[in-house]
Amino acid sequence: MANLGLVCITTSDRVRFRTITRKRLLPLSEEEKRRALEELYSANLVRLNAAIDFCEEQGIKLYRLSSSLFPFADESVGEEVLSGFSETMRQIGERAIDLGIRLVMHPDQFVVLSSDSEVVIENSVKILRMHARTLDMLAQPCTAWAAMQLHGGKGDRADRLVSVIRDLPDNIHKRLALENDERAYGAREILEVCRAADVPMVFDAHHHVIHERLESYDDPSIGKMLTLARETWPEPAWQMVHISNGREFFNDPRHSDLITAMPRAYRDAPWIEVEAKLKEVAIEKIRAEWLSGLLVK
């Protein structure tokens, strides 16, 4: 049975994180900003420990960290404040390792490495540096085991994307993974980018059926892409895939609350992030029904 992954929070209040807006932070003095971020980071580290507790209780072995875990940590005051939590973060990360819980990330939509704008690329790399530093501080390996997953971004920019990825610092490049999407980079396109840039591919079956206008998860291309994507991982046993279902109809890009259909090919997938709105409820449903074959369509 595959390891199923929880994405960031729970549908209950068990796993929730605090945040702060730029509008609220900017008027503060430097000292007030520091105190506000210290309090927020401390609270979110307590919550991260609680998330690991939850995963351990539920037997969940894959946890996607929120990209907003440490707001403004890519800016000087946030970077300085976060440094003060080095020991706490190391202990939390090592605890996850001891419990066999894999930690991954999915930076937000503003990270676009294929942009025509140098400013956008510079800012994207800055954000990735912050996320890589977070994983470093959490004592996570500098490998695709602790993957940072991105979409390809701007279409028809494959050469640009490959060039930018090749120039990334090691603690980003060695963790980076690219995911197919439903518009600019289908599975075949992102596979070629992954091969050229020497990064693993995260296969998303729902994006694939939308991009290819398929009518079923039984389409042979799903098993084929799963196999080809596995070949891009430095360790095949690390391969990670995503699952979601359409909310109103099969090819609906909006995510449903639960998972009611699973690709047969996913029985060969070792790690599956469950991108359903009801989070842990969806995971429990997959566990209860997929094993008996009820979710295979």
Side-chain angles (χ1 to χ4, degrees):
M1 180 64 176
N3 294 288
L4 303 177
L6 176 66
V7 175
C8 301
I9 61 172
T10 56
T11 190
S12 71
D13 290 331
R14 285 288 305 273
V15 180
R16 297 280 160 169
F17 295 97
R18 288 180 50 189
T19 190
I20 188 170
T21 63
R22 186 172 294 275
K23 182 177 180 181
R24 182 181 163 199
L25 189 69
L26 282 182
L28 302 178
S29 69
E30 288 303 302
E31 184 56 36
E32 288 171 332
K33 287 178 183 176
R34 184 173 287 101
R35 286 202 300 269
L37 292 180
E38 282 177 349
E39 181 183 351
L40 190 151
Y41 292 178
S42 178
N44 278 354
L45 283 169
V46 171
R47 287 163 166 77
L48 178 56
N49 244 331
I52 292 172
D53 287 340
F54 181 84
C55 289
E56 172 65 8
E57 291 169 12
Q58 300 297 316
I60 295 171
K61 294 299 184 181
L62 173 62
Y63 179 64
R64 182 194 291 180
L65 298 165
S66 169
S67 61
S68 301
L69 191 60
F70 303 116
F72 305 100
D74 58 333
E75 300 182 8
S76 57
V77 61
E79 183 177 358
E80 180 184 340
V81 169
L82 193 60
S83 294
F85 292 97
S86 295
E87 181 60 21
T88 300
M89 291 179 67
R90 182 188 63 78
Q91 291 175 1
I92 293 173
E94 289 182 348
R95 178 167 173 256
I97 291 171
D98 290 343
L99 292 173
I101 297 172
R102 182 179 182 182
L103 302 180
V104 299
M105 300 190 79
H106 199 318
D108 63 35
Q109 60 187 357
F110 302 109
V111 177
V112 181
L113 297 179
S114 56
S115 175
D116 294 326
S117 168
E118 289 294 339
V119 173
V120 171
I121 291 176
E122 288 174 7
N123 190 57
S124 297
V125 174
K126 179 183 177 184
I127 293 170
L128 289 176
R129 285 182 185 273
M130 180 263 290
H131 289 319
R133 180 180 182 234
T134 296
L135 290 168
D136 288 341
M137 293 178 72
L138 288 169
Q140 298 304 296
C142 190
T143 67
W145 173 263
M148 297 193 297
Q149 309 161 62
L150 292 180
H151 290 291
K154 296 274 288 186
D156 299 321
R157 302 290 190 281
D159 290 343
R160 175 70 159 161
L161 181 55
V162 170
S163 176
V164 171
I165 291 173
R166 284 175 174 169
D167 290 338
L168 291 171
D170 276 356
N171 69 338
I172 299 175
H173 191 176
K174 290 181 178 180
R175 291 186 175 114
L176 196 69
L178 297 179
E179 175 190 352
N180 59 299
D181 62 63
E182 58 221 35
R183 295 184 180 88
Y185 292 91
R188 294 173 181 84
E189 290 81 13
I190 209 67
L191 174 65
E192 293 308 312
V193 172
C194 288
R195 286 170 169 170
D198 192 25
V199 297
M201 173 184 166
V202 175
F203 178 62
D204 186 306
H206 191 58
H207 288 325
H208 181 66
V209 299
I210 295 172
H211 186 274
E212 301 298 323
R213 301 179 182 178
L214 305 179
E215 297 181 354
S216 168
Y217 281 138
D218 280 344
D219 190 274
S221 66
I222 290 181
K224 179 178 180 180
M225 292 311 308
L226 183 75
T227 299
L228 292 173
R230 181 177 298 130
E231 294 171 358
T232 66
W233 285 81
E235 294 289 343
W238 295 355
Q239 183 186 26
M240 183 165 47
V241 300
H242 292 174
I243 188 61
S244 57
N245 292 164
R247 184 190 303 175
E248 300 293 338
F249 52 93
F250 185 66
N251 298 94
D252 189 346
R254 298 169 299 174
H255 290 181
S256 61
D257 289 343
L258 299 169
I259 302 299
T260 57
M262 288 283 284
R264 294 181 188 277
Y266 269 23
R267 291 197 179 279
D268 294 327
W271 299 87
I272 304 175
E273 280 193 301
V274 180
E275 295 186 321
K277 290 186 176 297
L278 289 186
K279 309 288 185 175
E280 74 277 16
V281 180
I283 290 174
E284 192 57 36
K285 178 179 173 65
I286 292 172
R287 284 175 167 169
E289 299 182 3
W290 193 31
L291 283 175
S292 61
L294 297 179
L295 291 185
V296 178
K297 291 186 180 180

